[in-house]
Amino acid sequence: MLDVCLLGTAGMMPLPYRYLTALMLRYNGSSLLTDCGEGTQMAVKKAGWSFHPIDVICFTHYHADHISGLPGMLLSMGNAERTEPLTLIGPKGLKRVVTALRVIAPELPFEIQCIEITEPEQVFRLHGYKITAFMVRHNVLCYGYTIEIERQGRFQADQALAYQIPKNYWGILQKGSSVEYDGRTFTPDMVMGPPRKGIKLTYCTDTRPAESLVKNARESDLLICEGMYAEKEKLAKAKQYKHMTFYEAARVAKESQARELWLTHFSPSLVRAEDYMPKVREIFSNAHLGKDGMTAVMKFEEE
């Protein structure tokens, strides 16, 4: 299963009652953080989660509200006696930005590995996560992320018996490794069924509607998507600053056939945001207004 926590929902600036937009995931003892604006480590603490097991941080882009909390986060991780390497993923320029921010966090007890995205769409596999980064439409280079927990097929014992594979090798094949025995080579595909449906989550902020977003969010179990503006008269402003409205995000969810939509990164000037949700649900019924600390437990489908 995949634990999900929407740490914050504010866009542009933190507020006394809303942290900046960030997402944290937990799977199999590892945590993944997406974006790290000012106050993110406080949001982690408030949610009752820990930043110590964070193995990967993905950045959508380098506007301050998405990365300015990184130096403090690194220092807190170091003070927690972390020694394991930390992987950072982000658009081109990541190494330069991180180096600049580390002027105030120069000495850390762990290694930082920077991976810069070099393609419009690129896949990374780390710590059990399949991470697909895809370019979106903001006024600076910006990426969305689809995170998947893949699920292998069922082990077919009848096939293993038919091939006369000793039972002490079954576990090795289940874990994806081949086995040599009695002059023969046995491979996982000989005893494993077709892959089963895994878990799929897509996270995207700071963009206009984009075909890359619709494509990568296709049939996501959960789409967490920005909706900077809810007032319909602000569509022109959304277009000018390369953001989306609540209603455009709902149309993306509908077109991509996502199962559920959480709206996030809405403007600090927006009041009574929940009042706009009935109109949003006329477009996409399973839409929810994101709230700081909002959590979900995503499980594999039972067959």
Side-chain angles (χ1 to χ4, degrees):
M1 65 183 183
L2 180 69
D3 295 318
V4 181
C5 183
L6 186 58
L7 296 171
T9 58
M12 298 175 63
M13 66 182 73
L15 300 169
Y17 49 91
R18 280 176 64 203
Y19 292 109
L20 288 169
T21 304
L23 174 71
M24 194 166 174
L25 308 176
R26 296 189 302 202
Y27 172 69
N28 200 26
S30 173
S31 293
L32 181 151
L33 177 67
T34 304
D35 282 340
C36 189
E38 179 184 351
T40 296
Q41 60 177 317
M42 292 297 296
V44 173
K45 286 290 188 182
K46 186 174 181 180
W49 288 33
S50 170
F51 43 71
H52 189 270
I54 295 174
D55 293 309
V56 183
I57 303 179
C58 299
F59 296 102
T60 56
H61 61 300
Y62 304 131
H63 280 160
D65 57 331
H66 293 262
I67 197 170
S68 62
L70 181 62
M73 179 69 77
L74 295 176
L75 288 170
S76 292
M77 294 169 78
N79 290 334
E81 300 181 351
R82 178 195 181 93
T83 57
E84 300 83 6
L86 173 67
T87 300
L88 307 182
I89 298 175
K92 292 179 181 179
L94 177 65
K95 293 178 182 178
R96 174 179 53 82
V97 172
V98 171
T99 299
L101 290 172
R102 283 198 59 193
V103 168
I104 57 174
E107 296 182 8
L108 297 170
F110 54 89
E111 179 186 358
I112 294 179
Q113 301 169 341
C114 291
I115 301 177
E116 296 194 351
I117 306 166
T118 59
E119 303 293 336
E121 186 173 309
Q122 198 165 346
V123 176
F124 309 93
R125 283 184 167 83
L126 298 163
H127 302 282
Y129 303 99
K130 177 187 176 185
I131 305 165
T132 303
F134 54 93
M135 191 183 299
V136 291
R137 297 172 56 203
H138 194 35
N139 52 17
V140 297
L141 184 61
C142 185
Y143 282 81
Y145 291 94
T146 290
I147 294 100
E148 296 175 84
I149 306 299
E150 297 177 301
R151 193 181 189 193
Q152 66 179 8
R154 293 186 182 277
F155 179 77
Q156 299 174 315
D158 56 338
Q159 289 293 100
L161 291 171
Y163 284 115
Q164 298 181 335
I165 304 173
K167 288 187 177 181
N168 57 306
Y169 292 130
W170 288 12
I172 298 173
L173 292 166
Q174 281 181 285
K175 292 177 181 178
S177 297
S178 299
V179 170
E180 290 188 10
Y181 171 74
D182 196 24
R184 294 185 297 166
T185 299
F186 301 105
T187 57
D189 61 279
M190 297 168 69
V191 295
M192 301 301 296
R196 291 172 286 175
K197 183 183 182 304
I199 297 170
K200 183 175 181 180
L201 177 149
T202 298
Y203 174 89
C204 186
T205 71
D206 294 52
T207 183
R208 292 292 298 147
E211 181 56 37
S212 61
L213 171 56
V214 173
K215 171 192 169 187
N216 283 279
R218 180 75 59 195
E219 297 183 347
S220 288
D221 298 292
L222 175 60
L223 169 59
I224 301 176
C225 187
E226 80 133 294
M228 183 62 120
Y229 304 107
E231 308 94 327
K232 290 190 175 181
E233 64 272 16
K234 290 191 175 179
L235 176 58
K237 193 171 183 179
K239 291 179 178 179
Q240 179 183 358
Y241 293 104
K242 299 294 190 294
H243 285 288
M244 276 195 282
T245 66
F246 279 20
Y247 317 102
E248 288 175 317
R251 283 191 284 272
V252 167
K254 181 178 181 179
E255 189 175 350
S256 64
Q257 299 179 331
R259 290 189 173 185
E260 186 174 357
L261 169 66
W262 290 3
L263 288 167
T264 190
H265 198 275
F266 39 96
S267 171
S269 66
L270 180 62
V271 296
R272 302 178 65 87
E274 189 63 54
D275 291 353
Y276 297 90
M277 293 306 294
K279 288 294 184 181
V280 173
R281 294 187 183 107
E282 288 179 10
I283 301 170
F284 185 79
S285 60
N286 199 16
H288 305 276
L289 186 70
K291 295 180 175 61
D292 286 16
M294 193 170 178
T295 60
V297 178
M298 302 176 68
K299 298 181 179 180
F300 292 118
E301 285 186 353
E302 295 299 327
E303 297 181 349

